[in-house]
Amino acid sequence: AQSATFATSRADSVAAAKLTAWAETLQNSPAAQFGTVGLSVRRVAGSQPERSQPLVSYNGRKSLQTASTLKLVSTATALAVLG
């Protein structure tokens, strides 16, 4: 897994370290045995949020399907099968 912390203050650094450790723990748990944990936290401010720098990134550059997208697929399948 790729993890990186780019926090700018001490409080951000502590929170970022805890969040990164949580993501690592989740990735190594049975709950994510067949999946991949991805996390990207950015501070959005100013007129160009697309240029914001990540505060925390755990597999943040990996292309993953979002949970919301998967929920749509699951719901559509359930409606098609169950009516």
Side-chain angles (χ1 to χ4, degrees), residues 20-81:
T20 302
W22 172 82
E24 185 76 33
T25 299
L26 180 59
Q27 180 64 69
N28 294 324
S29 74
Q33 180 178 3
F34 301 109
T36 302
V37 174
L39 174 70
S40 180
V41 178
R42 295 171 176 265
R43 183 181 315 267
V44 179
S47 62
Q48 296 179 325
E50 67 278 359
R51 291 187 178 191
S52 66
Q53 294 297 312
L55 295 175
V56 177
S57 180
Y58 185 86
N59 287 330
R61 309 224 0 108
K62 228 178 209 185
S63 181
L64 303 171
Q65 291 181 335
T66 64
S68 296
T69 302
L70 294 177
K71 289 175 194 166
L72 289 172
V73 171
S74 300
T75 301
T77 303
L79 288 173
V81 173

